[in-house]
Amino acid sequence: MTSPVVLRIRTAVAWFSRTRFFRRVGPHVMPPLERGMAWLTRGRVQMSGLLVPSLVLHTVGARSGQQRDATLMYVPEPGGTMLVTGSNFAAAGHPAWSGNLLAHPDAAVSVRGRRIPVHAALVPDDEREATWRYIERQWPGYRGYETSSGRTLRMFRLTPR
């Protein structure tokens, strides 16, 4: 369970991450910062993971067939599954990694430096509301990205294989 102090900090950071400023600057600033932290810690720590659970998603490119990595926030579920949401900084288009998972659902994640093979499945429409409620208990206001983006965000459940 998340402590009240961490939840308050996440609420403030969630608000900031939905501002127009962050949505404009974040896509340019966050990836190099994440790469720098990964280099410094040899992949054991993601910068965003200092505040929220984070993982590195390893996919195969839908068109290129090349290995692709993306650092993402995730929400752990009981039983070891993980939820990831394609918010893409509230951009109008879906993030590339979500298309990669649709084309190649067998992927891997690295959590705290440990690589885990996973199978990705879209969260079914009849589970979306309950899943959003669960995600927002961990990351308050996160669904605001869906409203801001003007699209239905792709939500995936990653099951270890």
Side-chain angles (χ1 to χ4, degrees), residues 75-87:
V75 177
E77 290 186 295
T81 59
M82 298 159 260
L83 295 167
V84 292
T85 304
S87 60

Side-chain angles (χ1 to χ4, degrees), residues 57-60 100-108 117-121 159 161:
L57 176 66
H58 309 286
T59 61
V60 173
N100 295 346
L101 285 180
L102 290 174
H104 305 284
D106 288 326
V118 297
H119 181 79
T159 304
R161 14 178 206 114

Side-chain angles (χ1 to χ4, degrees), residues 13 21-22 67 82 92 106:
V13 171
F21 171 78
F22 184 80
Q67 175 74 36
M82 298 159 260
D106 288 326

Side-chain angles (χ1 to χ4, degrees), residues 43-62:
R44 289 186 303 274
V45 177
Q46 288 80 46
M47 189 182 78
S48 54
L50 298 174
L51 182 61
V52 297
S54 296
L55 56 77
V56 177
L57 176 66
H58 309 286
T59 61
V60 173

Side-chain angles (χ1 to χ4, degrees), residues 17-20 22-24 26-28 86-96 98 142 144-154:
S17 70
R18 288 189 309 275
T19 63
R20 189 176 313 207
F22 184 80
R23 289 192 325 241
R24 188 177 63 243
H28 305 288
S87 60
N88 202 21
F89 295 94
H94 295 289
S98 71
Y142 192 65
Y145 277 114
E146 190 166 63
T147 304
S148 297
S149 70
R151 62 184 165 85
T152 300
L153 302 186
R154 293 175 178 161

Side-chain angles (χ1 to χ4, degrees), residues 23-148:
R23 289 192 325 241
R24 188 177 63 243
V25 174
H28 305 288
V29 173
M30 294 303 293
L33 291 175
E34 290 289 2
R35 284 192 298 274
M37 179 65 84
W39 181 80
L40 285 172
T41 65
R42 294 188 176 101
R44 289 186 303 274
V45 177
Q46 288 80 46
M47 189 182 78
S48 54
L50 298 174
L51 182 61
V52 297
S54 296
L55 56 77
V56 177
L57 176 66
H58 309 286
T59 61
V60 173
R63 290 183 290 221
S64 70
Q66 300 294 312
Q67 175 74 36
R68 303 290 183 210
D69 295 337
T71 301
L72 306 172
M73 179 203 87
Y74 78 99
V75 177
E77 290 186 295
T81 59
M82 298 159 260
L83 295 167
V84 292
T85 304
S87 60
N88 202 21
F89 295 94
H94 295 289
W97 63 261
S98 71
N100 295 346
L101 285 180
L102 290 174
H104 305 284
D106 288 326
V109 296
S110 292
V111 179
R112 291 185 288 285
R114 189 174 69 119
R115 192 176 179 104
I116 304 164
V118 297
H119 181 79
L122 277 172
V123 171
D125 288 342
D126 63 339
E127 294 179 23
R128 285 182 61 82
E129 286 305 316
T131 302
W132 270 122
R133 285 192 300 276
Y134 185 78
I135 289 172
E136 285 202 307
R137 282 198 298 270
Q138 302 299 311
W139 192 241
Y142 192 65
R143 193 171 192 175
Y145 277 114
E146 190 166 63
T147 304
S148 297

